Amino acid sequence: MSTAPSGRLALVTGASGYIGGRLVPELLASGYRVRCLARTPEKLRDHPWRERVEVVRGDVVSGEGLAEALADVDVAYYLVHSMSGGRDFASTDAQGARTFAGAAARSGTGRIVYLGGLAPEHVELSAHMASREEVGRILVEAPVPAVVLRAAVIIGSGSASFEMLRHLTERLPAMTTPRWVRSRVQPIAVRDVLRLLVRADELPEGTDRTFDIGGPEVLSYAEMIQRFASVAGLARRLIIPVPVLSPGLSSLWVGLITPVPPSVARPLVESLRHDAVAGEDDLARTLPDHGRIPFDEAVRLALRRIDEDRVDTRWSSAAWPSAPSDPLPTDPDWAGGSLYTDRRARYADASPESLWRVIEGIGGQRGWYSWPLAWAARGWIDLAVGGVGPRRGRRDPERLRVGDSLDFWRVEEIVPGELLRLRAEMRLPGPAWLELRVGRADGRTVYCQRALFHPRGLAGHLYWKAVTPFHGVVFGSMADNIAGRAEADERDAQRPSDGVTGGT
């Protein structure tokens, strides 16, 4: 990792976006002081690095706050562009670039760094790609030296282009696709993008030009789908290109199949109409490094948190992810893959200790405090398809520890008195967990229950939809009965024992 000269100040615009939110901690780790410009500073409050940066309220189009934000800045990262703007988004983007560049010149900023899109020359670009090219040109021609990095598909959880690839591949074992699936693309890992953005500040003083950046492989979009499927453990996808499907229809098709909004899908689809391959690799020669991450490894890193069968992702924790390719709590709802959740909560008129004893004693001879026939049937179905079945029981009738088998579950995490997390070992089209928690609210004990399922492929999505109608009976009654059992146990403990009184 590069190290910034002592005291060097970096300004990041677009810090609430995908790249900006991940660039800030990289700059901090490299020794920079960081200031963020935001139209709505409140959007940054959930970022773990918020207390380590200065935030200035401002707007690159109107110029509000730019003088304050750019004061004493050594390098300014311009990461603002429209993905789903209105009809005049291109003129708004251009005006923002001009206003920002002018303010940077007046403040004496040493360098501007911008991340644009990789597109071929001498072809008619989509409106969004043309706008990003125009922003890059404006910054390079402005008085302050600018470094413009142009990237194609960025591979990392939360990247819009990666999420579209993820959802299409996971949900469609067979697909008829527009001819843009044959387009050649040079994808790049988000870790490499962030590293190059930070290192762009190491270029010789006065460097004022555009650099193409990409990963080590050039693939068609269809090849990316097949390679993603292989890494994710999915069967090879059947892809049948069709000659006629406009970008508008393509974006509607993507919006129907995936949770990516059509307003976001359309610019992504339009950018794939042409090849997106680096025309040069001058940056690698100017700033020698140890190479770029191959596509398969970039996908593996983006999927790593789920592939390791760990549930501490953005869906269950607001903690800072351990790597730039992990999801952020502030990513859009459609980012980070699908995770289906069934949540239940019940007040229990019992002490937290009584509730915890019921939770820790679950399974085995005591059962699951739910519809016994449903649990038994699920266990026998699992046994019939080669799974562990329902009869493993538990090691100890009163105590659990991490790693214990518990019927067709495995204890993945236990915090005595607070949390029991079980990972399913039944045969399912995706990993599943069951969390049982003891909480407090309004001075009362609360039982919190959460079932989570990460579908793998279309079979996973269909499985969840098939079993959802039964959740009210299975999981609802389970929550009611666990809370009720704790209340009954507490009443029994408080009831005076029957005694025999003797007389003369």
Side-chain angles (χ1 to χ4, degrees):
M1 181 177 290
S2 59
T3 302
S6 177
R8 197 158 174 80
L9 176 62
L11 173 69
V12 177
T13 68
S16 61
Y18 174 68
I19 291 295
R22 288 160 169 79
L23 178 63
V24 169
E26 296 294 307
L27 290 168
L28 290 169
S30 295
Y32 285 84
R33 295 180 295 125
V34 177
R35 179 184 296 155
C36 297
L37 175 72
R39 283 189 301 176
T40 310
E42 293 77 16
K43 289 184 177 181
L44 302 180
R45 64 187 175 192
D46 291 334
H47 287 278
W49 42 256
R50 172 60 183 86
E51 299 305 317
R52 300 177 59 195
V53 304
E54 177 187 356
V55 177
V56 174
R57 183 186 299 272
D59 182 79
V60 298
V61 178
S62 68
E64 175 193 357
L66 288 185
E68 178 185 356
L70 286 162
D72 303 318
V73 164
D74 299 291
V75 55
Y77 288 89
Y78 191 76
L79 303 174
V80 178
H81 68 271
S82 300
M83 276 295 287
S84 55
R87 296 177 60 181
D88 297 328
F89 76 88
S91 60
T92 301
D93 279 355
Q95 180 60 41
R98 292 190 186 96
T99 302
F100 186 82
R106 290 189 294 274
S107 71
T109 300
R111 166 173 286 154
I112 296 174
V113 179
Y114 171 67
L115 179 64
L118 188 57
E121 298 180 358
H122 311 303
V123 299
E124 183 180 355
L125 299 176
S126 69
H128 281 270
M129 288 300 298
S131 175
R132 297 181 76 172
E133 286 288 290
E134 174 70 1
V135 167
R137 183 188 64 78
I138 290 170
L139 295 177
V140 168
E141 293 178 356
V144 176
V147 175
V148 175
L149 305 185
R150 303 197 313 163
V153 172
I154 296 176
I155 305 299
S157 185
S159 160
S161 52
F162 176 75
E163 295 302 332
M164 188 174 83
L165 173 68
R166 181 211 299 262
H167 289 301
L168 284 175
T169 308
E170 288 184 344
R171 297 188 175 200
L172 293 177
M175 61 190 91
T176 55
T177 57
R179 56 189 173 190
W180 48 256
V181 298
R182 300 170 180 162
S183 297
R184 298 168 67 245
V185 182
Q186 192 167 355
I188 183 170
V190 64
R191 298 180 184 218
D192 286 334
V193 172
L194 296 173
R195 178 172 52 81
L196 293 173
L197 283 169
V198 174
R199 295 201 65 195
D201 193 34
E202 300 175 19
L203 289 165
E205 185 176 351
T207 301
D208 193 22
R209 57 160 291 186
T210 295
F211 294 91
D212 290 351
I213 60 173
E217 299 166 270
V218 175
L219 305 167
S220 70
Y221 200 85
E223 288 173 324
M224 290 167 58
I225 289 175
Q226 301 293 12
R227 297 271 288 272
F228 181 103
S230 177
V231 172
L234 302 172
R236 184 173 177 81
R237 275 27 201 159
L238 176 62
I239 301 174
I240 307 172
V242 294
V244 286
L245 200 57
S246 68
L249 290 175
S250 291
S251 63
L252 291 175
W253 172 72
V254 171
L256 178 66
I257 299 300
T258 80
V260 180
S263 59
V264 174
R266 178 156 189 159
L268 298 177
V269 168
E270 289 177 336
S271 70
L272 292 168
R273 289 188 300 168
H274 307 291
D275 292 346
V277 178
E280 44 80 15
D281 197 18
D282 294 348
L283 191 64
R285 287 187 286 271
T286 308
L287 296 174
D289 56 36
H290 300 294
R292 314 269 169 89
I293 298 172
F295 177 80
D296 288 5
E297 179 62 17
V299 171
R300 191 172 293 110
L301 290 168
L303 301 179
R304 179 174 58 87
R305 297 297 280 273
I306 290 297
D307 282 352
E308 290 180 350
D309 291 332
R310 296 178 59 192
V311 74
D312 54 334
T313 65
R314 68 177 179 91
W315 301 292
S316 59
S317 171
W320 174 249
S322 62
S325 46
D326 293 337
L328 271 173
T330 51
D331 286 343
D333 290 341
W334 44 264
S338 300
L339 190 82
Y340 292 118
T341 306
D342 182 279
R343 290 184 175 89
R344 312 276 168 168
R346 300 288 187 273
Y347 283 112
D349 293 326
S351 67
E353 294 76 17
S354 294
L355 179 58
W356 177 251
R357 281 193 292 272
V358 176
I359 290 174
E360 192 174 11
I362 202 167
Q365 294 299 317
R366 292 187 179 94
W368 293 86
Y369 297 95
S370 184
W371 191 20
L373 181 60
W375 285 92
R378 185 63 188 89
W380 288 111
I381 291 172
D382 186 57
L383 189 63
V385 296
V388 297
R391 293 191 174 275
R392 291 196 303 179
R394 48 182 293 157
R395 173 189 58 85
D396 183 292
E398 305 297 334
R399 297 287 177 263
L400 292 173
R401 62 189 181 194
V402 172
D404 277 359
S405 61
L406 184 59
D407 295 335
F408 39 63
W409 302 88
R410 178 78 60 181
V411 178
E412 183 177 85
E413 183 63 62
I414 186 166
V415 180
E418 298 180 18
L419 166 68
L420 173 64
R421 179 185 297 147
L422 307 174
R423 177 179 172 272
E425 293 197 328
M426 64 194 81
R427 296 180 71 88
L428 294 170
W433 298 265
L434 180 61
E435 286 186 347
L436 315 178
R437 291 179 180 268
V438 177
R440 296 283 291 176
D442 302 322
R444 300 177 65 187
T445 302
V446 180
Y447 169 68
C448 301
Q449 175 182 296
R450 187 170 62 155
L452 305 106
F453 178 66
H454 174 61
R456 283 185 176 154
L458 180 61
H461 294 278
L462 295 177
Y463 168 80
W464 182 262
K465 293 183 184 303
V467 300
T468 296
F470 304 100
H471 284 174
V473 174
V474 176
F475 291 131
S477 62
M478 181 178 177
D480 291 337
N481 293 335
I482 286 178
R485 181 71 265 169
E487 293 170 349
D489 288 350
E490 186 130 314
R491 287 194 300 269
D492 291 343
Q494 295 173 353
R495 183 180 298 123
S497 60
D498 292 336
V500 178
T501 303
T504 59

